[in-house]
Amino acid sequence: MSGLSLAQRIAVWDVASTAVRKFFRTCGAREVSTAIRRRAPAIEPYIEPLTSEARYLATSPELAMKRLLAFGSGDIYQIAHVFRGGEAGERHRQEFHLIEWYRLGFSLEQMMGEVEQLLTHVHRALQSELPALELRPWRVGPRRRVTFMDLVRETTGFELRGDESAAELAPVLTRVRLQAESSLGLPISADADASRHSTTDGGHSPGEVERLADWTEFFSLWSHLELDPWLRQHGHEGLYVHGFPTALAALSRIRGPVAERFEFHVGDLELANGYRELACGDAQRERFARVNALRRREGRLALPLDDAFFEALRNPGLPDCAGVALGFERMLMALLGCTNVAHVVVDDECV
Amino acid sequence: MDVSELKKGAKIKINEHPHTVVEFQFVKPGKGQGLYKCKLKNLVTGSAFERTFRSGERLEAADVESRSYTFLFASADGYTFMDGETYEQVEVSEDIVGDGRHFLVDQLAVDLLFNDGKVIDCSLPSHVVMEITECAPGVKGDTATGATKDAAIETGHTLQVPLFIKQGERIKIDTRTGQYVERVNS
């Protein structure tokens, strides 16, 4: 489907956002709108915050919303404007919207269920209020769940637990690097071996930073080489990948050898990331600091740590909860069958 | 330049040769490293290939400059063009001019691509108007069948034109495909 007219895009945005709000009103979650400019952003290996007047523009509302949860907000949701530097393409824009919500006491499984319920609800609203609009068919009902490790085994033959050290991960990482070199023309990074010899990483055991670096590289390459083609074949209805490697836990809890994290994809289009939220302030601080060490090693800027955030996790403390971030534009692309984000955006620059 | 500054048509230097980015695709899992999958064309050799860059990589911009020149004449050695401002003349070989040579008319403005002072590419405007120097008589009224006949244009090149076209008429040609577009009333 090619681009919708401006009038159609405005109608779609209006109906979809109203449907999202109605869904959460029914669930009992309250809408919040948190500040976009922050003193300190969430720290991820490959998400680059933009800045404005000595503040960082939020790449996600997560830190702000978790503080609200710690201070007793109860279930909350937001349709947030977020900004990510250097992301532009058919499926990426530097500025986009995330529907992010948190539910106290939810398991990861319950959270996954809510993602498909929300999408079904929005689809139904679009169908009934905009009957002339061409929507992709949407089956009502639960979508398939697959574990990350099962997919690694199916696509590479390697059996992984999820908590492997860098040394244990090396054979599968090497295979994926060679595959990237031959099928993508992606030269193996000159840093790949050099970084192994660095002895200091700002006080972090080099082993942990290396583990993060290697798992992140594995995930980045494997995602494109193996996961995306697999999803194109098996995931066109929508599918959850869960049980991520512990090194890639980000802000989620760890349970045994895996992180309590899931992603929801429609075909190879990633729509959502969900967690059972990590409540331990010290562990979270440690993780962010480790990501900073990785960023510095790769020649990128380290980012300031949000001490107010870690403190709120310690005191008053984050209640037991699960959360999801779902791309609004991606949701529309999936429901409408658009391949280019520019076709769904309501923006005077995209007219 | 940073790889995130890549655009279609950007000129980058790889292994000492200038390349143009024919197209590229940015792929990135939400929390993974972004990749720029590029289709590149070597502007010197003309060869096309694919190469992927990681986000954060730095690329070398190629010293490539496009200047407008007008066509003067063709000779056994090549095609001569002149810079309208400096009157500087440059001779470009047939393999650089390529199929565009069939559509070079006196004073036609072209873009010559220079790399380190040498012409590596010649691009014509997307359409030119040329005279039919030879073809079979026009058949009046036959606009609907789509049947065509051979015709020769000023440079001696032949192409297919609709049956109603007469010798001496001027036609618009798409230089990218070499095909007839429409008759032009002079």
Side-chain angles (χ1 to χ4, degrees), chain A residues 17-18 20-34 65 68 73-81 97-102 328:
Chain A
S17 52
T18 303
V20 167
R21 291 188 161 97
K22 181 143 178 243
F23 178 84
F24 288 114
R25 171 60 47 91
T26 312
C27 292
R30 290 290 193 192
E31 179 173 5
V32 297
S33 182
T34 52
M65 290 176 81
L68 293 181
S73 65
D75 291 353
I76 48 175
Y77 76 98
Q78 179 166 183
I79 300 179
H81 265 266
H97 298 77
L98 284 177
I99 306 169
E100 184 142 339
W101 74 103
Y102 293 87
F328 201 113

PDB file of all heavy atoms in Angstrom, chain A residues 17-18 20-34 65 68 73-81 97-102 328:
ATOM      1  N   SER A  17      -5.307   6.893  18.305  1.00  0.00           N
ATOM      2  CA  SER A  17      -4.933   7.377  19.643  1.00  0.00           C
ATOM      3  C   SER A  17      -6.132   7.408  20.577  1.00  0.00           C
ATOM      4  O   SER A  17      -6.002   7.118  21.772  1.00  0.00           O
ATOM      5  CB  SER A  17      -4.212   8.734  19.585  1.00  0.00           C
ATOM      6  OG  SER A  17      -4.942   9.656  18.841  1.00  0.00           O
ATOM      7  N   THR A  18      -7.298   7.710  20.036  1.00  0.00           N
ATOM      8  CA  THR A  18      -8.505   7.656  20.864  1.00  0.00           C
ATOM      9  C   THR A  18      -8.763   6.218  21.324  1.00  0.00           C
ATOM     10  O   THR A  18      -9.109   5.978  22.490  1.00  0.00           O
ATOM     11  CB  THR A  18      -9.729   8.177  20.076  1.00  0.00           C
ATOM     12  OG1 THR A  18      -9.453   9.496  19.645  1.00  0.00           O
ATOM     13  CG2 THR A  18     -10.992   8.166  20.930  1.00  0.00           C
ATOM     14  N   VAL A  20      -6.523   3.872  21.758  1.00  0.00           N
ATOM     15  CA  VAL A  20      -5.517   3.537  22.768  1.00  0.00           C
ATOM     16  C   VAL A  20      -5.969   4.063  24.128  1.00  0.00           C
ATOM     17  O   VAL A  20      -5.937   3.360  25.136  1.00  0.00           O
ATOM     18  CB  VAL A  20      -4.137   4.119  22.386  1.00  0.00           C
ATOM     19  CG1 VAL A  20      -3.171   4.066  23.553  1.00  0.00           C
ATOM     20  CG2 VAL A  20      -3.568   3.382  21.187  1.00  0.00           C
ATOM     21  N   ARG A  21      -6.421   5.286  24.152  1.00  0.00           N
ATOM     22  CA  ARG A  21      -6.863   5.887  25.415  1.00  0.00           C
ATOM     23  C   ARG A  21      -8.074   5.157  25.979  1.00  0.00           C
ATOM     24  O   ARG A  21      -8.169   4.936  27.188  1.00  0.00           O
ATOM     25  CB  ARG A  21      -7.161   7.365  25.213  1.00  0.00           C
ATOM     26  CG  ARG A  21      -5.892   8.157  24.938  1.00  0.00           C
ATOM     27  CD  ARG A  21      -6.090   9.657  24.914  1.00  0.00           C
ATOM     28  NE  ARG A  21      -4.800  10.301  25.103  1.00  0.00           N
ATOM     29  CZ  ARG A  21      -4.018  10.757  24.117  1.00  0.00           C
ATOM     30  NH1 ARG A  21      -4.415  10.669  22.874  1.00  0.00           N
ATOM     31  NH2 ARG A  21      -2.855  11.302  24.399  1.00  0.00           N
ATOM     32  N   LYS A  22      -8.994   4.763  25.104  1.00  0.00           N
ATOM     33  CA  LYS A  22     -10.178   4.050  25.564  1.00  0.00           C
ATOM     34  C   LYS A  22      -9.776   2.702  26.149  1.00  0.00           C
ATOM     35  O   LYS A  22     -10.297   2.283  27.184  1.00  0.00           O
ATOM     36  CB  LYS A  22     -11.134   3.859  24.379  1.00  0.00           C
ATOM     37  CG  LYS A  22     -12.397   3.152  24.721  1.00  0.00           C
ATOM     38  CD  LYS A  22     -13.600   3.715  23.951  1.00  0.00           C
ATOM     39  CE  LYS A  22     -14.843   2.914  24.325  1.00  0.00           C
ATOM     40  NZ  LYS A  22     -15.406   2.215  23.160  1.00  0.00           N
ATOM     41  N   PHE A  23      -8.817   2.040  25.514  1.00  0.00           N
ATOM     42  CA  PHE A  23      -8.339   0.737  25.996  1.00  0.00           C
ATOM     43  C   PHE A  23      -7.809   0.858  27.416  1.00  0.00           C
ATOM     44  O   PHE A  23      -8.168   0.078  28.308  1.00  0.00           O
ATOM     45  CB  PHE A  23      -7.242   0.222  25.058  1.00  0.00           C
ATOM     46  CG  PHE A  23      -6.646  -1.087  25.480  1.00  0.00           C
ATOM     47  CD1 PHE A  23      -7.267  -2.282  25.138  1.00  0.00           C
ATOM     48  CD2 PHE A  23      -5.474  -1.140  26.219  1.00  0.00           C
ATOM     49  CE1 PHE A  23      -6.730  -3.506  25.526  1.00  0.00           C
ATOM     50  CE2 PHE A  23      -4.921  -2.355  26.614  1.00  0.00           C
ATOM     51  CZ  PHE A  23      -5.563  -3.540  26.269  1.00  0.00           C
ATOM     52  N   PHE A  24      -6.974   1.861  27.646  1.00  0.00           N
ATOM     53  CA  PHE A  24      -6.372   1.987  28.977  1.00  0.00           C
ATOM     54  C   PHE A  24      -7.362   2.502  30.002  1.00  0.00           C
ATOM     55  O   PHE A  24      -7.274   2.169  31.181  1.00  0.00           O
ATOM     56  CB  PHE A  24      -5.109   2.845  28.924  1.00  0.00           C
ATOM     57  CG  PHE A  24      -3.969   2.151  28.253  1.00  0.00           C
ATOM     58  CD1 PHE A  24      -3.456   2.613  27.063  1.00  0.00           C
ATOM     59  CD2 PHE A  24      -3.443   0.985  28.810  1.00  0.00           C
ATOM     60  CE1 PHE A  24      -2.414   1.944  26.423  1.00  0.00           C
ATOM     61  CE2 PHE A  24      -2.408   0.305  28.184  1.00  0.00           C
ATOM     62  CZ  PHE A  24      -1.902   0.779  26.995  1.00  0.00           C
ATOM     63  N   ARG A  25      -8.326   3.307  29.559  1.00  0.00           N
ATOM     64  CA  ARG A  25      -9.381   3.742  30.486  1.00  0.00           C
ATOM     65  C   ARG A  25     -10.112   2.505  31.004  1.00  0.00           C
ATOM     66  O   ARG A  25     -10.386   2.389  32.202  1.00  0.00           O
ATOM     67  CB  ARG A  25     -10.309   4.695  29.742  1.00  0.00           C
ATOM     68  CG  ARG A  25     -11.591   5.122  30.415  1.00  0.00           C
ATOM     69  CD  ARG A  25     -11.426   5.850  31.743  1.00  0.00           C
ATOM     70  NE  ARG A  25     -10.442   6.902  31.782  1.00  0.00           N
ATOM     71  CZ  ARG A  25     -10.678   8.175  31.531  1.00  0.00           C
ATOM     72  NH1 ARG A  25     -11.877   8.571  31.175  1.00  0.00           N
ATOM     73  NH2 ARG A  25      -9.713   9.065  31.630  1.00  0.00           N
ATOM     74  N   THR A  26     -10.395   1.570  30.114  1.00  0.00           N
ATOM     75  CA  THR A  26     -11.075   0.336  30.504  1.00  0.00           C
ATOM     76  C   THR A  26     -10.217  -0.503  31.453  1.00  0.00           C
ATOM     77  O   THR A  26     -10.740  -1.143  32.367  1.00  0.00           O
ATOM     78  CB  THR A  26     -11.407  -0.501  29.245  1.00  0.00           C
ATOM     79  OG1 THR A  26     -12.007   0.336  28.279  1.00  0.00           O
ATOM     80  CG2 THR A  26     -12.327  -1.652  29.580  1.00  0.00           C
ATOM     81  N   CYS A  27      -8.900  -0.493  31.236  1.00  0.00           N
ATOM     82  CA  CYS A  27      -7.998  -1.247  32.126  1.00  0.00           C
ATOM     83  C   CYS A  27      -7.816  -0.582  33.460  1.00  0.00           C
ATOM     84  O   CYS A  27      -7.277  -1.193  34.380  1.00  0.00           O
ATOM     85  CB  CYS A  27      -6.570  -1.272  31.577  1.00  0.00           C
ATOM     86  SG  CYS A  27      -6.354  -2.187  30.125  1.00  0.00           S
ATOM     87  N   GLY A  28      -8.126   0.691  33.547  1.00  0.00           N
ATOM     88  CA  GLY A  28      -7.889   1.403  34.792  1.00  0.00           C
ATOM     89  C   GLY A  28      -6.513   2.039  34.873  1.00  0.00           C
ATOM     90  O   GLY A  28      -6.068   2.434  35.954  1.00  0.00           O
ATOM     91  N   ALA A  29      -5.811   2.160  33.769  1.00  0.00           N
ATOM     92  CA  ALA A  29      -4.508   2.838  33.799  1.00  0.00           C
ATOM     93  C   ALA A  29      -4.718   4.323  33.514  1.00  0.00           C
ATOM     94  O   ALA A  29      -5.560   4.697  32.710  1.00  0.00           O
ATOM     95  CB  ALA A  29      -3.581   2.230  32.751  1.00  0.00           C
ATOM     96  N   ARG A  30      -3.933   5.170  34.193  1.00  0.00           N
ATOM     97  CA  ARG A  30      -4.052   6.610  34.013  1.00  0.00           C
ATOM     98  C   ARG A  30      -3.031   7.102  32.992  1.00  0.00           C
ATOM     99  O   ARG A  30      -1.902   6.629  32.967  1.00  0.00           O
ATOM    100  CB  ARG A  30      -3.762   7.325  35.336  1.00  0.00           C
ATOM    101  CG  ARG A  30      -4.822   7.134  36.377  1.00  0.00           C
ATOM    102  CD  ARG A  30      -6.068   7.854  35.997  1.00  0.00           C
ATOM    103  NE  ARG A  30      -7.017   7.958  37.104  1.00  0.00           N
ATOM    104  CZ  ARG A  30      -8.269   8.341  36.961  1.00  0.00           C
ATOM    105  NH1 ARG A  30      -8.735   8.662  35.753  1.00  0.00           N
ATOM    106  NH2 ARG A  30      -9.075   8.411  37.994  1.00  0.00           N
ATOM    107  N   GLU A  31      -3.425   8.122  32.201  1.00  0.00           N
ATOM    108  CA  GLU A  31      -2.481   8.685  31.241  1.00  0.00           C
ATOM    109  C   GLU A  31      -1.565   9.675  31.933  1.00  0.00           C
ATOM    110  O   GLU A  31      -2.002  10.471  32.767  1.00  0.00           O
ATOM    111  CB  GLU A  31      -3.209   9.406  30.109  1.00  0.00           C
ATOM    112  CG  GLU A  31      -2.239  10.012  29.103  1.00  0.00           C
ATOM    113  CD  GLU A  31      -2.874  10.589  27.865  1.00  0.00           C
ATOM    114  OE1 GLU A  31      -4.130  10.618  27.794  1.00  0.00           O
ATOM    115  OE2 GLU A  31      -2.138  11.001  26.958  1.00  0.00           O
ATOM    116  N   VAL A  32      -0.280   9.613  31.624  1.00  0.00           N
ATOM    117  CA  VAL A  32       0.655  10.625  32.114  1.00  0.00           C
ATOM    118  C   VAL A  32       1.402  11.207  30.925  1.00  0.00           C
ATOM    119  O   VAL A  32       1.429  10.611  29.850  1.00  0.00           O
ATOM    120  CB  VAL A  32       1.678  10.041  33.130  1.00  0.00           C
ATOM    121  CG1 VAL A  32       0.974   9.527  34.378  1.00  0.00           C
ATOM    122  CG2 VAL A  32       2.531   8.965  32.500  1.00  0.00           C
ATOM    123  N   SER A  33       1.968  12.391  31.154  1.00  0.00           N
ATOM    124  CA  SER A  33       2.785  13.014  30.122  1.00  0.00           C
ATOM    125  C   SER A  33       4.027  13.553  30.821  1.00  0.00           C
ATOM    126  O   SER A  33       3.951  14.548  31.532  1.00  0.00           O
ATOM    127  CB  SER A  33       1.999  14.131  29.440  1.00  0.00           C
ATOM    128  OG  SER A  33       2.782  14.698  28.416  1.00  0.00           O
ATOM    129  N   THR A  34       5.133  12.860  30.667  1.00  0.00           N
ATOM    130  CA  THR A  34       6.331  13.226  31.431  1.00  0.00           C
ATOM    131  C   THR A  34       7.266  14.104  30.588  1.00  0.00           C
ATOM    132  O   THR A  34       7.170  14.137  29.366  1.00  0.00           O
ATOM    133  CB  THR A  34       7.073  11.967  31.903  1.00  0.00           C
ATOM    134  OG1 THR A  34       7.307  11.108  30.776  1.00  0.00           O
ATOM    135  CG2 THR A  34       6.244  11.206  32.928  1.00  0.00           C
ATOM    136  N   MET A  65       8.653   7.430  34.026  1.00  0.00           N
ATOM    137  CA  MET A  65       7.469   6.687  34.447  1.00  0.00           C
ATOM    138  C   MET A  65       7.769   5.767  35.617  1.00  0.00           C
ATOM    139  O   MET A  65       6.934   5.592  36.519  1.00  0.00           O
ATOM    140  CB  MET A  65       6.871   5.924  33.260  1.00  0.00           C
ATOM    141  CG  MET A  65       6.246   6.876  32.243  1.00  0.00           C
ATOM    142  SD  MET A  65       5.617   6.082  30.742  1.00  0.00           S
ATOM    143  CE  MET A  65       4.026   5.492  31.307  1.00  0.00           C
ATOM    144  N   LEU A  68       7.560   7.695  38.711  1.00  0.00           N
ATOM    145  CA  LEU A  68       6.159   7.911  39.095  1.00  0.00           C
ATOM    146  C   LEU A  68       5.604   6.660  39.766  1.00  0.00           C
ATOM    147  O   LEU A  68       4.905   6.738  40.786  1.00  0.00           O
ATOM    148  CB  LEU A  68       5.308   8.254  37.868  1.00  0.00           C
ATOM    149  CG  LEU A  68       5.589   9.580  37.176  1.00  0.00           C
ATOM    150  CD1 LEU A  68       4.639   9.771  35.994  1.00  0.00           C
ATOM    151  CD2 LEU A  68       5.452  10.753  38.149  1.00  0.00           C
ATOM    152  N   SER A  73       2.121   5.990  41.667  1.00  0.00           N
ATOM    153  CA  SER A  73       1.174   6.373  40.623  1.00  0.00           C
ATOM    154  C   SER A  73       0.132   5.304  40.334  1.00  0.00           C
ATOM    155  O   SER A  73      -0.936   5.603  39.811  1.00  0.00           O
ATOM    156  CB  SER A  73       1.935   6.667  39.325  1.00  0.00           C
ATOM    157  OG  SER A  73       2.549   5.481  38.846  1.00  0.00           O
ATOM    158  N   GLY A  74       0.469   4.043  40.581  1.00  0.00           N
ATOM    159  CA  GLY A  74      -0.428   2.981  40.114  1.00  0.00           C
ATOM    160  C   GLY A  74      -0.204   2.776  38.627  1.00  0.00           C
ATOM    161  O   GLY A  74       0.704   3.364  38.039  1.00  0.00           O
ATOM    162  N   ASP A  75      -1.082   1.988  37.988  1.00  0.00           N
ATOM    163  CA  ASP A  75      -0.906   1.686  36.562  1.00  0.00           C
ATOM    164  C   ASP A  75      -0.981   2.967  35.740  1.00  0.00           C
ATOM    165  O   ASP A  75      -1.912   3.753  35.878  1.00  0.00           O
ATOM    166  CB  ASP A  75      -2.003   0.724  36.074  1.00  0.00           C
ATOM    167  CG  ASP A  75      -1.848  -0.670  36.654  1.00  0.00           C
ATOM    168  OD1 ASP A  75      -0.830  -0.934  37.330  1.00  0.00           O
ATOM    169  OD2 ASP A  75      -2.747  -1.502  36.429  1.00  0.00           O
ATOM    170  N   ILE A  76       0.010   3.158  34.878  1.00  0.00           N
ATOM    171  CA  ILE A  76       0.049   4.363  34.046  1.00  0.00           C
ATOM    172  C   ILE A  76       0.419   4.023  32.613  1.00  0.00           C
ATOM    173  O   ILE A  76       1.044   2.994  32.364  1.00  0.00           O
ATOM    174  CB  ILE A  76       1.061   5.412  34.578  1.00  0.00           C
ATOM    175  CG1 ILE A  76       2.411   4.755  34.896  1.00  0.00           C
ATOM    176  CG2 ILE A  76       0.501   6.154  35.777  1.00  0.00           C
ATOM    177  CD1 ILE A  76       3.503   5.730  35.314  1.00  0.00           C
ATOM    178  N   TYR A  77       0.022   4.938  31.680  1.00  0.00           N
ATOM    179  CA  TYR A  77       0.428   4.792  30.282  1.00  0.00           C
ATOM    180  C   TYR A  77       0.755   6.173  29.721  1.00  0.00           C
ATOM    181  O   TYR A  77       0.379   7.199  30.300  1.00  0.00           O
ATOM    182  CB  TYR A  77      -0.652   4.099  29.450  1.00  0.00           C
ATOM    183  CG  TYR A  77      -1.846   4.969  29.098  1.00  0.00           C
ATOM    184  CD1 TYR A  77      -1.935   5.611  27.852  1.00  0.00           C
ATOM    185  CD2 TYR A  77      -2.894   5.139  30.007  1.00  0.00           C
ATOM    186  CE1 TYR A  77      -3.038   6.395  27.533  1.00  0.00           C
ATOM    187  CE2 TYR A  77      -3.988   5.932  29.688  1.00  0.00           C
ATOM    188  CZ  TYR A  77      -4.064   6.553  28.456  1.00  0.00           C
ATOM    189  OH  TYR A  77      -5.153   7.333  28.136  1.00  0.00           O
ATOM    190  N   GLN A  78       1.436   6.163  28.590  1.00  0.00           N
ATOM    191  CA  GLN A  78       1.778   7.433  27.944  1.00  0.00           C
ATOM    192  C   GLN A  78       1.900   7.221  26.452  1.00  0.00           C
ATOM    193  O   GLN A  78       2.363   6.166  26.003  1.00  0.00           O
ATOM    194  CB  GLN A  78       3.099   7.971  28.514  1.00  0.00           C
ATOM    195  CG  GLN A  78       3.564   9.272  27.899  1.00  0.00           C
ATOM    196  CD  GLN A  78       4.667   9.978  28.664  1.00  0.00           C
ATOM    197  OE1 GLN A  78       5.078  11.058  28.299  1.00  0.00           O
ATOM    198  NE2 GLN A  78       5.168   9.390  29.742  1.00  0.00           N
ATOM    199  N   ILE A  79       1.489   8.203  25.702  1.00  0.00           N
ATOM    200  CA  ILE A  79       1.793   8.224  24.262  1.00  0.00           C
ATOM    201  C   ILE A  79       2.886   9.280  24.155  1.00  0.00           C
ATOM    202  O   ILE A  79       2.619  10.478  24.147  1.00  0.00           O
ATOM    203  CB  ILE A  79       0.556   8.586  23.416  1.00  0.00           C
ATOM    204  CG1 ILE A  79      -0.552   7.560  23.654  1.00  0.00           C
ATOM    205  CG2 ILE A  79       0.947   8.613  21.932  1.00  0.00           C
ATOM    206  CD1 ILE A  79      -1.848   7.840  22.872  1.00  0.00           C
ATOM    207  N   ALA A  80       4.117   8.817  24.169  1.00  0.00           N
ATOM    208  CA  ALA A  80       5.257   9.720  24.352  1.00  0.00           C
ATOM    209  C   ALA A  80       5.941  10.087  23.048  1.00  0.00           C
ATOM    210  O   ALA A  80       6.152   9.241  22.189  1.00  0.00           O
ATOM    211  CB  ALA A  80       6.269   9.062  25.286  1.00  0.00           C
ATOM    212  N   HIS A  81       6.347  11.370  22.947  1.00  0.00           N
ATOM    213  CA  HIS A  81       7.238  11.815  21.869  1.00  0.00           C
ATOM    214  C   HIS A  81       8.637  11.398  22.279  1.00  0.00           C
ATOM    215  O   HIS A  81       9.094  11.802  23.343  1.00  0.00           O
ATOM    216  CB  HIS A  81       7.254  13.347  21.797  1.00  0.00           C
ATOM    217  CG  HIS A  81       6.318  13.941  20.835  1.00  0.00           C
ATOM    218  ND1 HIS A  81       6.664  14.267  19.541  1.00  0.00           N
ATOM    219  CD2 HIS A  81       5.033  14.304  20.980  1.00  0.00           C
ATOM    220  CE1 HIS A  81       5.617  14.800  18.940  1.00  0.00           C
ATOM    221  NE2 HIS A  81       4.620  14.837  19.785  1.00  0.00           N
ATOM    222  N   HIS A  97       6.769   8.165  18.204  1.00  0.00           N
ATOM    223  CA  HIS A  97       5.956   8.028  19.408  1.00  0.00           C
ATOM    224  C   HIS A  97       6.000   6.607  19.940  1.00  0.00           C
ATOM    225  O   HIS A  97       5.937   5.644  19.174  1.00  0.00           O
ATOM    226  CB  HIS A  97       4.488   8.361  19.115  1.00  0.00           C
ATOM    227  CG  HIS A  97       4.256   9.769  18.665  1.00  0.00           C
ATOM    228  ND1 HIS A  97       4.537  10.197  17.386  1.00  0.00           N
ATOM    229  CD2 HIS A  97       3.789  10.853  19.329  1.00  0.00           C
ATOM    230  CE1 HIS A  97       4.240  11.476  17.276  1.00  0.00           C
ATOM    231  NE2 HIS A  97       3.784  11.898  18.444  1.00  0.00           N
ATOM    232  N   LEU A  98       6.085   6.503  21.258  1.00  0.00           N
ATOM    233  CA  LEU A  98       5.992   5.200  21.901  1.00  0.00           C
ATOM    234  C   LEU A  98       4.752   5.174  22.775  1.00  0.00           C
ATOM    235  O   LEU A  98       4.505   6.126  23.523  1.00  0.00           O
ATOM    236  CB  LEU A  98       7.194   4.947  22.813  1.00  0.00           C
ATOM    237  CG  LEU A  98       8.521   4.579  22.177  1.00  0.00           C
ATOM    238  CD1 LEU A  98       9.595   4.451  23.247  1.00  0.00           C
ATOM    239  CD2 LEU A  98       8.411   3.289  21.392  1.00  0.00           C
ATOM    240  N   ILE A  99       3.978   4.091  22.678  1.00  0.00           N
ATOM    241  CA  ILE A  99       2.914   3.875  23.663  1.00  0.00           C
ATOM    242  C   ILE A  99       3.604   3.051  24.741  1.00  0.00           C
ATOM    243  O   ILE A  99       4.058   1.936  24.476  1.00  0.00           O
ATOM    244  CB  ILE A  99       1.746   3.072  23.077  1.00  0.00           C
ATOM    245  CG1 ILE A  99       1.215   3.733  21.804  1.00  0.00           C
ATOM    246  CG2 ILE A  99       0.640   2.904  24.124  1.00  0.00           C
ATOM    247  CD1 ILE A  99       0.245   2.848  21.031  1.00  0.00           C
ATOM    248  N   GLU A 100       3.744   3.627  25.922  1.00  0.00           N
ATOM    249  CA  GLU A 100       4.441   2.911  26.983  1.00  0.00           C
ATOM    250  C   GLU A 100       3.521   2.783  28.180  1.00  0.00           C
ATOM    251  O   GLU A 100       2.885   3.760  28.582  1.00  0.00           O
ATOM    252  CB  GLU A 100       5.716   3.667  27.363  1.00  0.00           C
ATOM    253  CG  GLU A 100       6.559   2.967  28.388  1.00  0.00           C
ATOM    254  CD  GLU A 100       8.064   3.116  28.135  1.00  0.00           C
ATOM    255  OE1 GLU A 100       8.432   3.406  26.985  1.00  0.00           O
ATOM    256  OE2 GLU A 100       8.831   2.949  29.090  1.00  0.00           O
ATOM    257  N   TRP A 101       3.434   1.563  28.721  1.00  0.00           N
ATOM    258  CA  TRP A 101       2.564   1.384  29.882  1.00  0.00           C
ATOM    259  C   TRP A 101       3.110   0.369  30.865  1.00  0.00           C
ATOM    260  O   TRP A 101       3.898  -0.491  30.512  1.00  0.00           O
ATOM    261  CB  TRP A 101       1.137   1.051  29.456  1.00  0.00           C
ATOM    262  CG  TRP A 101       0.815  -0.313  28.919  1.00  0.00           C
ATOM    263  CD1 TRP A 101       0.192  -1.324  29.604  1.00  0.00           C
ATOM    264  CD2 TRP A 101       0.994  -0.801  27.584  1.00  0.00           C
ATOM    265  NE1 TRP A 101      -0.021  -2.401  28.773  1.00  0.00           N
ATOM    266  CE2 TRP A 101       0.473  -2.106  27.521  1.00  0.00           C
ATOM    267  CE3 TRP A 101       1.563  -0.250  26.416  1.00  0.00           C
ATOM    268  CZ2 TRP A 101       0.474  -2.882  26.351  1.00  0.00           C
ATOM    269  CZ3 TRP A 101       1.581  -1.021  25.248  1.00  0.00           C
ATOM    270  CH2 TRP A 101       1.045  -2.319  25.231  1.00  0.00           C
ATOM    271  N   TYR A 102       2.682   0.528  32.112  1.00  0.00           N
ATOM    272  CA  TYR A 102       3.154  -0.285  33.227  1.00  0.00           C
ATOM    273  C   TYR A 102       1.970  -0.817  34.015  1.00  0.00           C
ATOM    274  O   TYR A 102       1.028  -0.075  34.305  1.00  0.00           O
ATOM    275  CB  TYR A 102       4.063   0.543  34.156  1.00  0.00           C
ATOM    276  CG  TYR A 102       5.343   0.925  33.471  1.00  0.00           C
ATOM    277  CD1 TYR A 102       5.414   2.078  32.692  1.00  0.00           C
ATOM    278  CD2 TYR A 102       6.469   0.107  33.545  1.00  0.00           C
ATOM    279  CE1 TYR A 102       6.577   2.409  32.012  1.00  0.00           C
ATOM    280  CE2 TYR A 102       7.641   0.439  32.876  1.00  0.00           C
ATOM    281  CZ  TYR A 102       7.685   1.584  32.111  1.00  0.00           C
ATOM    282  OH  TYR A 102       8.842   1.907  31.438  1.00  0.00           O
ATOM    283  N   PHE A 328       4.190   3.578  18.123  1.00  0.00           N
ATOM    284  CA  PHE A 328       2.882   3.962  17.600  1.00  0.00           C
ATOM    285  C   PHE A 328       2.862   3.891  16.085  1.00  0.00           C
ATOM    286  O   PHE A 328       1.968   3.291  15.483  1.00  0.00           O
ATOM    287  CB  PHE A 328       2.530   5.382  18.075  1.00  0.00           C
ATOM    288  CG  PHE A 328       1.054   5.692  18.025  1.00  0.00           C
ATOM    289  CD1 PHE A 328       0.335   5.890  19.183  1.00  0.00           C
ATOM    290  CD2 PHE A 328       0.389   5.804  16.812  1.00  0.00           C
ATOM    291  CE1 PHE A 328      -1.025   6.172  19.155  1.00  0.00           C
ATOM    292  CE2 PHE A 328      -0.982   6.091  16.768  1.00  0.00           C
ATOM    293  CZ  PHE A 328      -1.676   6.273  17.946  1.00  0.00           C
TER     294      PHE A 328
END
